[in-house]
Amino acid sequence: MDLHADAINALSVTRDNELEITSVRQLRILEDAARQIVSMRLDDVKINDAAAWMLERAAAARRWAWVNPPVAVALGILAVLIGVGSAVLGAAMGNLVPAVLGAVAGSALLGMVVLRHRRESWRIRAEQVAPMIMRPGL
């Protein structure tokens, strides 16, 4: 069994013959194959270098990145302004309700911003190359 070839064949291929990770299954196959190759402690420099490349590629794919950072920053600022503004308004009115409601609304908005605008790098890349995929892989 050729773990390296199986892992490479599991990846998607673009029209330019570039290998791309477009699913979590592909990412796991790549990581598992690389770990198995490394655990074998082979004397073959070429296959060990390939396993190291596979692990680096998987690690890079798992890094988290912001999607559309200007929008994320603007919405984050809005969330903070809602929370702080409502706290100031509540304090000025001598009423705790606006402060609590604003804190809840600001926190919820900030949470939604992070959930919507922060993703693993492979997912972002998969969306970008989707129209160029020639062979989808596993």
Side-chain angles (χ1 to χ4, degrees):
M1 177 190 291
D2 189 354
L3 292 170
H4 176 259
D6 290 344
I8 296 302
N9 287 331
L11 299 177
S12 297
V13 180
T14 66
R15 291 186 299 242
D16 299 330
N17 286 324
E18 295 292 325
L19 297 172
E20 296 290 346
I21 299 168
T22 57
S23 73
V24 71
R25 182 176 180 200
Q26 292 172 356
L27 181 56
R28 288 182 184 144
I29 289 170
L30 192 68
E31 288 173 323
D32 291 345
R35 286 189 190 115
Q36 287 178 12
I37 292 169
V38 169
S39 72
M40 289 183 213
R41 300 176 194 248
L42 302 172
D43 290 332
D44 187 342
V45 174
K46 187 176 177 182
I47 194 69
N48 288 329
D49 287 347
W53 174 84
M54 290 163 56
L55 286 172
E56 289 168 10
R57 180 83 185 256
R62 287 215 180 266
R63 284 192 198 103
W64 288 83
W66 288 99
V67 178
N68 201 351
V71 172
V73 168
L75 291 172
I77 290 170
L78 177 64
V80 170
L81 288 175
I82 289 172
V84 172
S86 63
V88 170
L89 181 64
M93 293 172 39
N95 189 349
L96 190 60
V97 174
V100 171
L101 291 176
V104 169
S107 297
L109 180 58
L110 191 56
M112 288 188 297
V113 168
V114 171
L115 289 174
R116 172 64 184 95
H117 291 276
R118 189 112 166 110
R119 292 192 231 148
E120 286 180 304
S121 296
W122 75 264
R123 290 183 190 274
I124 297 168
R125 181 71 181 151
E127 290 173 8
Q128 292 170 342
V129 299
M132 297 178 280
I133 296 295
M134 182 177 67
R135 184 181 58 83
L138 295 180

